[in-house]
Amino acid sequence: MSINEPAKKQRLYQLFPFLERAGDDFQRAFSDVAIVARFEPGAQICDERSRCSHLPLLLEGVARIFKSGENGKEITLYRIRPGESCVLTAACILSDLPFPATATVEQRLDVVLVPADFVRAWIGRDEAWREYLFGLVANRLASIIQVVEEVVFQRLDQRIACFLLREGKEGDRLRVIVATHQDLADELGTSREVVSRLLKAFEQRGCVRLSRGRIELLETTALERIASEGIGTPSGA
C-alpha cells in the first residue's frame, strides 16, 4: 500500500498534523520513502535485542509494548494507538541500540513505516520532524515513569482497582471487561494467583462480578476507595 493513496494520505495528515506543517519538500521526501504495512492480531513486531529498521506511525489498530522477566512475568509499558508512535523504537534508531522490550499486535495494525536512516537524517534538517520526535520522547517517557511509580509506590490491590476503573468506565456507564486473570497479571507484572485472590476480595465487597474471561463492574465508589487506600490485605506481589 502507498501513502499516496488519497484515503491513506488524508488519514495520515489527520493523525499526524505536523506533516502538513513540514512543507512541500519534506512531504515529497516522506512520500518517497515511507510505506504502509499491515500486521494481523497476535503478530510479534519486535522482540528484545532486535534491531529497529523503521519507525512506525500508526493509522489503525493497537500494539502493546511490554517487558518480560526471567521468571516469565510480563508488565505492560505502554500501548500505541492511532496517531501515535513508539518511543522505544525511536530511541533505538537514534542510539543504534537493540530494542529492549517486546511489541505485539492486539488489534490489526495499519502503519506507516519510516526507514531508520531517514529518521536520523531528518532530525538535523527538518524542524517539524525534529519537534515531533522530541515531543514523542517527552510525552511517552512521562507515561513510562508513571508505570514505574505505580509499581514501586502503589500496592497491587490499588493498581488492580485503578485498572478496572480505567478499563471499565465509559463516562457514566460501566462496561464488562473482557480479560482473564492471566491477562491482568501480564498487564501489571504479577502472578495470576495473586490477581485471582484480590479479584475475589473485590467480588466479596460487591465491587465486581467475576465469570470466565469477564469482569463486570457493579459499583465504583468502593473501587475508587480501594484505588486510593487499598483494602488492607497484603498484596503478595
Side-chain angles (χ1 to χ4, degrees), residues 99-234:
F99 198 71
T102 302
T104 58
V105 179
E106 289 192 332
Q107 299 175 19
R108 189 176 73 178
L109 296 184
D110 282 345
V111 299
V112 173
L113 299 175
V114 183
D117 288 347
F118 291 92
V119 172
R120 290 187 288 262
W122 289 339
I123 280 188
R125 296 204 303 258
D126 189 88
E127 183 178 359
W129 179 254
R130 183 167 56 249
E131 289 180 353
Y132 171 72
L133 282 187
F134 289 170
L136 169 66
V137 171
N139 292 333
R140 187 59 76 181
L141 283 182
S143 68
I144 294 176
I145 290 172
Q146 182 179 354
V147 171
V148 173
E149 288 178 340
E150 289 173 356
V151 171
V152 173
F153 299 117
Q154 276 191 313
R155 294 160 51 98
L156 185 58
D157 50 2
Q158 294 175 291
R159 294 173 59 210
I160 292 176
C162 288
F163 174 86
L164 296 177
L165 289 168
R166 183 171 65 248
E167 298 297 320
K169 288 184 66 175
E170 292 181 349
D172 295 330
R173 297 176 54 202
L174 301 181
R175 68 180 184 87
V176 174
I177 300 170
V178 180
T180 66
H181 295 190
Q182 186 63 57
D183 291 335
L184 265 69
D186 292 344
E187 183 78 17
L188 301 173
T190 186
S191 68
R192 180 188 58 79
E193 292 78 11
V194 173
V195 168
S196 296
R197 176 167 57 80
L198 287 170
L199 285 176
K200 189 65 178 178
F202 288 6
E203 186 175 47
Q204 290 171 349
R205 286 164 170 76
C207 301
V208 300
R209 181 183 293 120
L210 304 176
S211 56
R212 188 175 182 85
R214 295 163 63 89
I215 305 169
E216 181 182 357
L217 269 63
L218 301 178
E219 201 278 324
T220 61
T221 301
L223 269 181
E224 289 166 353
R225 185 165 59 251
I226 293 171
S228 174
E229 304 172 2
I231 59 176
T233 301

